[in-house]
Amino acid sequence: MKTIGIICEYNPFHNGHAHQLHTLASKCPDALRICIMSGSFVQRGEPALFSKFDRARWAILGGADVVIELPTLYSLGSAQLFGTGAIRMVKALSIDTLSFGSETTNLNTLIGIAKRMDCESTQNELRNYLNEGMSYGTAFRKALGSEMLSTPNALLGLEYIRAGLKYHPDLAYIPIQRTSDHHNKTINQELSSGTALRQLITTATPLDMYSALQVAIPTPILDDMTHRITTGDYVDYSRYHDMVHMLSRRISASELERFVDFTEGIEHLWLKAAQQPSWESAIEQIKSKRYTYARLQRMGAYLTLGITKDLINIAMQDGPQYARLLAFNDRGRQWLRTKHDIPLIQKWAKAPTQLNNLGKSMHHIDTLATDIQALCFHNKGKRIGHTDYTYTPQYIK
């Protein structure tokens, strides 16, 4: 059975995502479309706007056949960690093809650049630029002499290929042309960005929001998403920001040093900024060329979830220890019977008995991520914990 992997966040699911899935269905009608999706926290370094359970259902309704959760240790990572964790999941599930959105569909060019990323000369230049205080993306773009790295998705696409060359050399690729602007914050086109949709949902009036969502969200999903918004089943980011700010005030510099990305003495600046009246003002005080907004957001998430450098190093070395099934349809149901290199988890409570120590740590972090996201929902009645344990993978016929 031919399989196509799509590494995604669907934060939230919109027409651009449906366009990719429908394009793949048209190009490869017999291939199974398997989504490796971030769970309760995303690479922006914060909880996803909607629960992973809702987003997985929308993915199936939007054209996917199976949705697997990418463990939080990888979904929160830098482009390299995110890409490596996802590709190793693709390999463990014996997925033979990867599709991703890209500003260019010239595969030879993409592979050529990806091969240069680990060259000694490129790595030396990268280190020099990083030592000058540049962010990872900017430093890599200059080291490679490529403007193709100017958008987050371009960098992720190259990191997928880079990881594929190392961990899954037989992997084939289908880049899909991106037509929306990743940074565009206005809903003025059919293929609006996730950034624009998140801003719309968190700031617009109900009437303006619904009319805009009609343009940007696939019809089979629109009513369901609108219902979730109306009932407050989505994140109030001010609650999460207060949580990070509170934790920043109660921790010491020596404790901060244990967590991912707290290096170069930034823990002292972090503690000083924690005396600001809000997390937003604190992060503005720390932000620099080297410590971008996204990186600082991830550091806040590492602190909140207790993700240490030691744990990330082991996760980077050993890769994902399980694949958690979130949703599937009739086509995907057949694939569930195939054998994989890692356990396919359907019942969360029983999972630890199948896992080693790293797998149990991943399981704990994934559970905590879902619990903290739920605690941030607008709807007080939805702030219950341990919903991972009561969830059954959704079978959508």
Side-chain angles (χ1 to χ4, degrees):
M1 182 183 295
K2 183 177 176 60
T3 50
I4 300 176
I6 301 100
I7 300 165
C8 56
E9 295 193 308
Y10 296 156
N11 187 33
F13 193 95
H14 56 67
N15 283 337
H17 302 132
H19 168 74
Q20 181 189 21
L21 291 167
H22 294 161
T23 299
L24 293 173
S26 176
K27 285 187 174 183
C28 312
D30 295 330
L32 207 66
R33 297 176 292 282
I34 303 173
C35 292
I36 311 296
M37 188 186 79
S38 298
S40 299
F41 273 64
V42 293
Q43 211 217 352
R44 288 170 51 83
E46 62 188 17
L49 185 59
F50 296 99
S51 79
K52 61 191 177 188
F53 312 125
D54 289 336
R55 287 156 42 233
R57 180 173 64 258
W58 297 337
I60 299 295
L61 293 172
D65 296 310
V66 178
V67 182
I68 300 292
E69 179 179 356
L70 179 66
T72 308
L73 291 181
Y74 305 105
S75 72
L76 260 179
S78 64
Q80 184 178 13
L81 177 57
F82 182 97
T84 298
I87 290 298
R88 293 184 74 173
M89 177 78 82
V90 166
K91 170 65 174 175
L93 296 175
S94 302
I95 295 170
D96 50 61
T97 304
L98 181 76
S99 177
F100 55 91
S102 177
E103 281 68 23
T104 177
T105 57
N106 188 324
L107 189 54
N108 289 333
T109 298
L110 290 168
I111 292 174
I113 295 174
K115 286 180 176 178
R116 289 170 47 211
M117 292 174 84
D118 286 315
C119 291
E120 185 176 351
S121 59
T122 302
Q123 288 296 313
N124 287 336
E125 285 194 60
L126 174 63
R127 280 189 289 272
N128 290 336
Y129 288 130
L130 288 173
N131 289 336
E132 292 177 15
M134 293 182 187
S135 68
Y136 179 81
T138 301
F140 234 143
R141 183 167 65 248
K142 288 183 70 69
L144 289 165
S146 174
E147 288 303 313
M148 284 177 55
L149 290 173
S150 60
T151 65
N153 281 288
L155 178 57
L156 277 174
L158 289 171
E159 289 289 3
Y160 298 153
I161 297 174
R162 179 190 189 186
L165 292 170
K166 180 175 182 179
Y167 295 105
H168 197 348
D170 295 328
L171 188 64
Y173 302 95
I174 304 176
I176 303 291
Q177 183 75 49
R178 279 184 63 89
T179 56
S180 62
D181 181 356
H182 177 85
H183 295 291
N184 190 341
K185 294 185 178 181
T186 58
I187 306 289
N188 57 8
Q189 52 188 333
E190 187 178 346
L191 300 181
S192 299
S193 69
T195 301
L197 285 166
R198 287 190 298 274
Q199 179 167 296
L200 172 79
I201 293 167
T202 54
T203 62
T205 64
L207 184 61
D208 290 342
M209 184 193 308
Y210 186 70
S211 60
L213 289 178
Q214 285 181 303
V215 175
I217 305 300
T219 302
I221 297 164
L222 178 62
D223 287 345
D224 190 0
M225 185 180 292
T226 304
H227 175 71
R228 297 294 163 185
I229 296 168
T230 303
T231 55
D233 294 357
Y234 67 105
V235 167
D236 175 355
Y237 285 103
S238 66
R239 289 181 60 82
Y240 174 69
H241 293 159
D242 285 346
M243 195 181 300
V244 179
H245 206 45
M246 180 274 291
L247 291 171
S248 297
R249 286 192 176 182
R250 69 177 297 275
I251 201 165
S252 68
S254 60
E255 289 173 313
L256 273 179
E257 281 186 292
R258 297 173 52 237
F259 300 115
V260 181
D261 271 356
F262 282 90
T263 57
E264 304 167 328
I266 196 173
E267 59 273 10
H268 301 289
L269 181 58
W270 188 280
L271 294 181
K272 182 179 179 182
Q275 307 316 309
Q276 290 290 317
S278 68
W279 167 242
E280 292 90 340
S281 54
I283 210 170
E284 282 299 324
Q285 185 171 316
I286 309 171
K287 190 174 178 290
S288 66
K289 286 193 300 183
R290 179 68 171 271
Y291 288 91
T292 62
Y293 182 78
R295 184 176 180 184
L296 292 171
Q297 283 279 93
R298 285 196 292 271
M299 291 166 68
Y302 289 139
L303 164 62
T304 304
L305 296 173
I307 299 176
T308 64
K309 295 170 183 172
D310 289 343
L311 181 56
I312 280 291
N313 288 337
I314 298 170
M316 191 69 170
Q317 176 181 306
D318 293 354
Q321 299 299 297
Y322 56 81
R324 201 267 177 93
L325 177 66
L326 292 176
F328 61 99
N329 62 13
D330 278 325
R331 279 163 49 89
R333 193 177 189 180
Q334 303 170 37
W335 177 81
L336 300 181
R337 302 187 185 101
T338 60
K339 290 187 177 180
H340 312 290
D341 295 341
I342 53 178
L344 184 66
I345 303 299
Q346 299 193 41
K347 295 185 178 179
W348 197 240
K350 294 182 178 180
T353 62
Q354 302 175 252
L355 303 175
N356 59 18
N357 287 337
L358 174 58
K360 290 174 183 175
S361 294
M362 288 184 178
H363 182 277
H364 168 70
I365 295 293
D366 284 349
T367 303
L368 183 59
T370 303
D371 288 350
I372 288 176
Q373 183 201 36
L375 199 56
C376 297
F377 283 161
H378 285 267
N379 186 335
K380 292 181 181 180
K382 297 293 184 178
R383 294 175 189 167
I384 56 176
H386 279 200
T387 51
D388 275 305
Y389 290 93
T390 58
Y391 178 78
T392 299
Q394 297 170 82
Y395 172 38
I396 300 169
K397 297 183 180 180

